Coordinates of all heavy atoms in Angstrom, one line a residue:
M268 N 38.2 76.7 192.0 CA 39.2 75.9 192.6 C 40.5 75.9 192.0 O 40.6 76.0 190.8 CB 38.6 74.4 192.7 CG 39.4 73.5 193.1 SD 39.0 71.7 192.8 CE 37.3 71.6 192.8
K269 N 41.5 76.0 192.8 CA 43.0 75.9 192.3 C 43.4 74.4 192.2 O 43.1 73.7 193.1 CB 43.8 76.8 193.2 CG 43.5 78.3 193.2 CD 44.5 79.0 193.8 CE 44.2 80.5 193.8 NZ 45.1 81.3 194.4
R270 N 44.2 74.2 191.3 CA 44.8 72.9 191.1 C 46.2 72.8 190.8 O 46.6 73.8 190.0 CB 44.0 72.1 190.0 CG 42.6 71.9 190.2 CD 41.9 71.3 189.0 NE 40.5 71.4 189.1 CZ 39.5 70.5 188.6 NH1 40.0 69.6 187.7 NH2 38.3 70.6 188.7
V271 N 46.8 71.9 191.1 CA 48.3 71.7 190.7 C 48.1 71.2 189.2 O 47.6 70.2 188.9 CB 49.1 70.8 191.5 CG1 50.3 70.5 191.0 CG2 49.1 71.3 193.0
C272 N 48.8 71.9 188.3 CA 48.8 71.5 186.9 C 50.2 71.1 186.3 O 50.2 70.7 185.2 CB 48.1 72.5 186.1 SG 48.8 74.2 186.1
G273 N 51.2 71.5 187.1 CA 52.5 71.0 186.7 C 53.5 71.0 187.8 O 53.2 71.6 189.0
F274 N 54.6 70.4 187.6 CA 55.7 70.3 188.6 C 57.0 70.2 187.9 O 57.1 69.8 186.9 CB 55.6 68.9 189.4 CG 56.6 68.6 190.3 CD1 56.7 69.2 191.5 CD2 57.6 67.9 189.9 CE1 57.7 68.9 192.5 CE2 58.7 67.6 190.8 CZ 58.8 68.1 192.0
G275 N 58.0 70.8 188.6 CA 59.4 70.8 188.2 C 60.3 70.9 189.4 O 60.0 71.8 190.3
A276 N 61.2 70.2 189.5 CA 62.2 70.2 190.7 C 63.4 71.1 190.3 O 64.0 71.0 189.2 CB 62.7 68.8 191.1
F277 N 63.8 71.9 191.2 CA 65.0 72.8 191.0 C 66.1 72.4 192.0 O 65.8 72.2 193.2 CB 64.6 74.3 191.3 CG 65.8 75.2 191.3 CD1 66.4 75.5 190.0 CD2 66.3 75.8 192.3 CE1 67.4 76.4 189.9 CE2 67.4 76.5 192.3 CZ 67.9 77.0 191.1
Y278 N 67.3 72.3 191.6 CA 68.5 71.9 192.3 C 69.5 72.9 192.3 O 70.0 73.3 191.2 CB 69.2 70.7 191.9 CG 68.3 69.4 192.1 CD1 67.3 69.1 191.1 CD2 68.4 68.6 193.1 CE1 66.5 67.9 191.3 CE2 67.7 67.4 193.3 CZ 66.7 67.2 192.3 OH 65.9 66.0 192.4
L279 N 69.8 73.6 193.3 CA 70.8 74.7 193.3 C 72.2 74.1 193.0 O 73.0 74.8 192.4 CB 70.7 75.5 194.7 CG 71.6 76.7 194.9 CD1 71.4 77.7 193.8 CD2 71.5 77.2 196.2
D280 N 72.4 72.8 193.5 CA 73.7 72.2 193.2 C 73.5 71.0 192.3 O 72.9 70.0 192.9 CB 74.3 71.8 194.5 CG 75.7 71.2 194.4 OD1 76.2 71.0 193.1 OD2 76.3 70.8 195.4
A281 N 73.7 71.1 191.0 CA 73.4 70.0 190.1 C 74.2 68.7 190.3 O 73.9 67.7 190.0 CB 73.8 70.5 188.6
S282 N 75.4 68.9 191.2 CA 76.3 67.8 191.3 C 75.5 66.8 192.1 O 75.9 65.5 192.1 CB 77.5 68.2 192.0 OG 77.3 68.6 193.3
V283 N 74.5 67.0 192.8 CA 73.9 66.0 193.8 C 73.0 65.1 193.0 O 72.5 64.1 193.4 CB 72.9 66.7 194.7 CG1 73.8 67.5 195.8 CG2 71.7 67.4 194.2
Q284 N 72.8 65.4 191.6 CA 71.9 64.4 190.8 C 72.5 63.2 190.3 O 71.8 62.3 189.7 CB 71.3 65.4 189.7 CG 70.2 66.3 190.1 CD 69.3 66.9 189.0 OE1 68.7 66.2 188.3 NE2 69.5 68.1 188.8
G285 N 73.8 63.2 190.3 CA 74.5 62.0 189.8 C 74.6 62.0 188.3 O 74.9 60.9 187.7
F286 N 74.6 63.1 187.6 CA 74.8 63.2 186.1 C 76.3 63.5 185.8 O 76.6 63.6 184.7 CB 73.8 64.1 185.5 CG 72.5 63.6 185.5 CD1 71.5 64.3 186.2 CD2 72.0 62.6 184.7 CE1 70.2 64.0 186.2 CE2 70.7 62.2 184.6 CZ 69.7 62.9 185.4
G287 N 77.1 63.8 186.8 CA 78.4 64.2 186.5 C 78.6 65.7 186.5 O 79.6 66.1 186.0
W288 N 77.6 66.5 186.6 CA 77.7 67.9 186.5 C 78.5 68.4 187.6 O 78.3 68.1 188.7 CB 76.3 68.5 186.3 CG 75.6 68.1 185.1 CD1 76.1 67.8 183.9 CD2 74.1 68.1 184.9 NE1 75.1 67.5 183.0 CE2 73.9 67.7 183.5 CE3 73.1 68.3 185.7 CZ2 72.7 67.5 183.1 CZ3 71.8 68.2 185.2 CH2 71.6 67.8 183.8
P289 N 79.2 69.7 187.3 CA 80.1 70.2 188.4 C 79.2 70.9 189.5 O 78.1 71.4 189.2 CB 80.9 71.0 187.7 CG 80.2 71.5 186.4 CD 79.4 70.2 186.1
A290 N 79.7 70.9 190.7 CA 79.1 71.7 191.7 C 79.1 73.2 191.2 O 80.0 73.7 190.6 CB 80.0 71.6 193.0
G291 N 78.2 73.9 191.6 CA 78.0 75.3 191.2 C 77.1 75.5 190.1 O 76.5 76.6 190.0
W292 N 76.9 74.5 189.4 CA 75.8 74.6 188.3 C 74.4 74.4 189.1 O 74.3 73.6 190.0 CB 75.9 73.5 187.3 CG 77.0 73.7 186.3 CD1 78.0 74.4 186.3 CD2 77.1 72.9 185.0 NE1 78.8 74.3 185.2 CE2 78.2 73.2 184.4 CE3 76.3 71.9 184.4 CZ2 78.7 72.8 183.2 CZ3 76.7 71.4 183.3 CH2 77.8 71.8 182.6
A293 N 73.4 75.0 188.5 CA 72.0 74.7 189.0 C 71.3 73.8 187.9 O 71.9 73.7 186.7 CB 71.2 76.0 189.1
S294 N 70.4 73.0 188.3 CA 69.7 72.2 187.4 C 68.2 72.0 187.7 O 67.8 72.3 188.9 CB 70.4 70.9 187.4 OG 70.4 70.2 188.7
G295 N 67.6 71.5 186.9 CA 66.1 71.1 187.1 C 65.9 69.6 186.7 O 66.8 68.9 186.2
R296 N 64.8 69.2 187.1 CA 64.5 67.6 186.9 C 63.0 67.4 187.1 O 62.3 68.2 187.8 CB 65.3 66.8 187.7 CG 65.3 65.3 187.3 CD 66.2 64.5 188.2 NE 66.4 63.2 187.7 CZ 67.2 62.2 188.3 NH1 67.9 62.6 189.4 NH2 67.2 61.2 187.8
A297 N 62.5 66.4 186.4 CA 61.1 65.9 186.8 C 60.1 66.9 186.4 O 59.1 67.2 187.1 CB 61.0 65.5 188.3
L298 N 60.2 67.4 185.1 CA 59.2 68.4 184.7 C 58.0 67.6 184.2 O 57.9 66.5 183.4 CB 59.8 69.2 183.4 CG 58.7 70.3 182.8 CD1 58.5 71.3 183.8 CD2 59.4 70.7 181.7
A299 N 56.8 67.9 184.8 CA 55.6 67.2 184.4 C 54.4 68.2 184.3 O 54.3 69.1 185.1 CB 55.3 66.1 185.4
V300 N 53.6 68.0 183.4 CA 52.4 68.9 183.2 C 51.2 67.9 183.0 O 51.2 67.0 182.3 CB 52.5 69.8 181.9 CG1 51.3 70.7 181.7 CG2 53.7 70.7 182.1
H301 N 50.2 68.3 183.8 CA 48.8 67.5 183.6 C 48.4 67.7 182.1 O 48.4 68.7 181.6 CB 47.7 68.0 184.6 CG 46.5 67.1 184.8 ND1 45.6 67.3 183.7 CD2 46.3 66.4 185.7 CE1 44.6 66.4 184.1 NE2 45.0 65.8 185.3
P302 N 47.9 66.5 181.6 CA 47.4 66.5 180.3 C 46.4 67.7 180.0 O 46.4 68.3 178.8 CB 46.7 65.2 180.1 CG 47.5 64.3 181.1 CD 47.8 65.1 182.2
A303 N 45.5 67.8 180.9 CA 44.6 68.9 180.6 C 45.2 70.3 180.7 O 44.5 71.2 180.1 CB 43.4 68.9 181.7
A304 N 46.4 70.4 181.1 CA 47.0 71.7 181.1 C 48.0 72.0 180.1 O 48.5 73.1 179.9 CB 47.6 72.0 182.5
R305 N 48.2 71.0 179.3 CA 49.2 71.1 178.2 C 48.8 72.1 177.1 O 47.6 72.3 176.8 CB 49.4 69.7 177.5 CG 50.2 68.7 178.6 CD 50.5 67.4 178.0 NE 51.1 66.7 179.2 CZ 51.1 65.4 179.1 NH1 50.6 64.7 178.2 NH2 51.7 64.7 180.3
G306 N 49.8 72.7 176.6 CA 49.4 73.7 175.6 C 49.0 75.2 176.0 O 48.7 76.1 175.3
H307 N 49.2 75.3 177.4 CA 49.0 76.6 178.0 C 50.1 77.3 178.6 O 49.9 78.2 179.4 CB 47.8 76.4 179.1 CG 46.6 75.9 178.5 ND1 45.6 76.6 177.9 CD2 46.1 74.6 178.5 CE1 44.6 75.9 177.5 NE2 44.8 74.6 178.0
G308 N 51.3 76.8 178.3 CA 52.5 77.5 178.8 C 53.0 77.2 180.2 O 53.9 77.8 180.7
V309 N 52.4 76.1 180.6 CA 52.9 75.6 182.1 C 54.4 75.3 182.1 O 55.1 75.7 183.0 CB 51.9 74.6 182.5 CG1 52.4 74.0 183.9 CG2 50.5 75.0 182.6
A310 N 54.7 74.4 181.1 CA 56.1 73.9 181.1 C 57.0 75.1 180.9 O 58.1 75.3 181.6 CB 56.3 72.9 180.0
H311 N 56.7 76.0 180.0 CA 57.5 77.2 179.8 C 57.6 78.1 181.1 O 58.8 78.4 181.4 CB 56.8 78.1 178.6 CG 57.6 79.4 178.4 ND1 58.7 79.5 177.7 CD2 57.3 80.6 178.8 CE1 59.1 80.8 177.7 NE2 58.2 81.5 178.4
T312 N 56.6 78.2 181.7 CA 56.7 78.9 183.0 C 57.5 78.3 184.0 O 58.3 78.9 184.7 CB 55.2 79.2 183.5 OG1 54.5 80.0 182.5 CG2 55.3 80.0 184.9
L313 N 57.4 77.0 184.2 CA 58.2 76.3 185.1 C 59.7 76.4 184.9 O 60.5 76.6 185.7 CB 57.7 74.7 185.2 CG 56.4 74.5 185.8 CD1 56.0 73.1 185.5 CD2 56.5 74.7 187.3
L314 N 60.1 76.2 183.5 CA 61.5 76.2 183.1 C 62.0 77.7 183.3 O 63.2 77.9 183.8 CB 61.7 75.8 181.7 CG 61.6 74.4 181.5 CD1 61.6 73.9 180.0 CD2 62.7 73.6 182.2
A315 N 61.2 78.7 183.0 CA 61.6 80.1 183.1 C 61.8 80.4 184.5 O 62.8 81.1 184.9 CB 60.5 81.1 182.5
T316 N 61.0 79.9 185.5 CA 61.2 80.1 186.8 C 62.4 79.4 187.4 O 63.2 80.1 188.1 CB 60.0 79.6 187.6 OG1 58.8 80.2 187.2 CG2 60.1 79.9 189.1
C317 N 62.8 78.3 186.9 CA 63.9 77.6 187.3 C 65.1 78.4 186.7 O 66.2 78.5 187.6 CB 64.0 76.2 186.8 SG 63.0 75.1 187.7
E318 N 65.1 78.9 185.5 CA 66.2 79.7 185.0 C 66.4 80.9 185.9 O 67.5 81.3 186.1 CB 65.9 80.1 183.5 CG 65.9 78.7 182.7 CD 65.6 79.1 181.2 OE1 65.0 80.1 181.0 OE2 66.0 78.3 180.3
R319 N 65.3 81.5 186.2 CA 65.4 82.9 187.0 C 66.1 82.5 188.5 O 66.9 83.2 188.9 CB 64.1 83.5 187.2 CG 64.2 84.9 187.7 CD 62.9 85.6 188.1 NE 62.4 85.0 189.4 CZ 61.3 84.2 189.5 NH1 60.7 83.8 188.4 NH2 60.9 83.7 190.6
L320 N 65.7 81.4 188.9 CA 66.2 80.9 190.2 C 67.7 80.7 190.2 O 68.6 81.1 191.1 CB 65.5 79.8 190.8 CG 64.1 79.9 191.4 CD1 63.5 78.5 191.5 CD2 64.1 80.7 192.6
A321 N 68.2 80.1 189.1 CA 69.6 79.8 188.9 C 70.2 81.3 188.6 O 71.3 81.3 189.3 CB 69.7 78.9 187.6
Q322 N 69.8 82.1 187.9 CA 70.4 83.3 187.7 C 70.5 84.1 188.9 O 71.6 84.6 189.3 CB 69.7 84.2 186.7 CG 70.0 84.0 185.3 CD 69.3 85.1 184.5 OE1 68.2 85.5 184.6 NE2 70.0 85.5 183.3
D323 N 69.5 84.1 189.7 CA 69.4 84.8 191.0 C 70.4 84.3 192.0 O 70.9 85.0 192.8 CB 68.0 84.9 191.6 CG 66.9 85.6 190.9 OD1 67.4 86.4 190.0 OD2 65.8 85.6 191.1
S324 N 70.7 83.0 191.9 CA 71.6 82.4 192.8 C 73.1 82.6 192.4 O 74.0 82.1 193.1 CB 71.3 80.9 193.0 OG 71.6 80.2 191.8
G325 N 73.2 83.1 191.2 CA 74.6 83.3 190.7 C 75.2 82.0 189.9 O 76.4 82.0 189.6
A326 N 74.4 81.1 189.8 CA 74.9 79.8 189.0 C 75.3 80.2 187.5 O 74.5 80.9 186.9 CB 73.8 78.7 189.0
P327 N 76.4 79.7 187.2 CA 76.8 80.1 185.7 C 76.1 79.4 184.6 O 76.0 79.7 183.5 CB 78.3 79.8 185.7 CG 78.4 78.7 186.7 CD 77.4 79.0 187.8
V328 N 75.5 78.2 185.0 CA 74.8 77.3 184.2 C 73.5 76.8 184.8 O 73.5 76.5 186.0 CB 75.6 76.0 183.7 CG1 75.0 75.0 182.9 CG2 77.0 76.6 183.0
F329 N 72.4 76.7 184.1 CA 71.2 75.9 184.4 C 71.2 74.8 183.4 O 70.9 74.9 182.1 CB 70.1 76.8 184.3 CG 68.7 76.1 184.5 CD1 68.4 75.5 185.8 CD2 67.8 75.9 183.6 CE1 67.4 74.7 185.9 CE2 66.7 75.0 183.7 CZ 66.4 74.5 184.9
A330 N 71.2 73.5 184.0 CA 71.2 72.3 183.2 C 69.9 71.6 183.4 O 69.5 71.5 184.6 CB 72.4 71.5 183.5
F331 N 69.4 70.9 182.3 CA 68.1 70.2 182.6 C 68.3 68.8 181.6 O 68.4 69.0 180.4 CB 66.9 70.9 182.0 CG 65.7 70.5 182.6 CD1 65.0 71.0 183.7 CD2 65.0 69.3 182.0 CE1 63.9 70.4 184.2 CE2 63.8 68.9 182.5 CZ 63.3 69.4 183.7
P332 N 68.4 67.7 182.3 CA 68.5 66.5 181.6 C 67.4 66.1 180.7 O 66.2 66.4 181.1 CB 68.8 65.4 182.7 CG 68.1 65.9 183.8 CD 68.1 67.5 183.7
H333 N 67.5 65.5 179.6 CA 66.4 64.9 178.9 C 66.6 63.5 178.7 O 67.8 62.9 178.6 CB 66.2 65.5 177.6 CG 67.3 65.5 176.7 ND1 67.3 64.5 175.7 CD2 68.4 66.2 176.5 CE1 68.4 64.7 175.0 NE2 69.2 65.6 175.3
R334 N 65.7 62.7 178.5 CA 65.7 61.2 178.3 C 64.7 60.8 177.3 O 63.7 61.3 177.2 CB 65.4 60.5 179.6 CG 66.7 60.8 180.5 CD 66.7 59.8 181.7 NE 67.7 60.5 182.6 CZ 68.3 59.7 183.3 NH1 68.1 58.4 183.4 NH2 69.3 60.1 184.2

């Protein structure tokens, strides 16, 4: 059985998030990993995928807020 074990949102235009980041930057948000899947590289894979999407789109920056 396949299960969702993590989630991360990718924004091609970081300016829509309301953090004051400029248009043209890419960004991510809402990274979450199921407790049972932690320690298996899920977050790393999600962030690496977002970084690749940002690079492929030509964005000069990939930003990810932390709180």
Side-chain angles (χ1 to χ4, degrees):
M268 174 189 328
K269 294 185 180 190
R270 299 177 190 200
V271 174
C272 57
F274 173 83
F277 175 75
Y278 294 82
L279 185 56
D280 181 3
S282 67
V283 301
Q284 290 195 58
F286 291 111
W288 292 334
W292 284 17
S294 64
R296 190 171 186 184
L298 182 67
V300 177
H301 189 279
R305 291 181 183 157
H307 297 280
V309 175
H311 174 81
T312 301
L313 288 168
L314 285 172
T316 300
C317 286
E318 289 174 343
R319 190 186 80 250
L320 289 169
Q322 271 188 327
D323 290 351
S324 71
V328 172
F329 172 68
F331 201 98
H333 66 86
R334 294 190 187 209

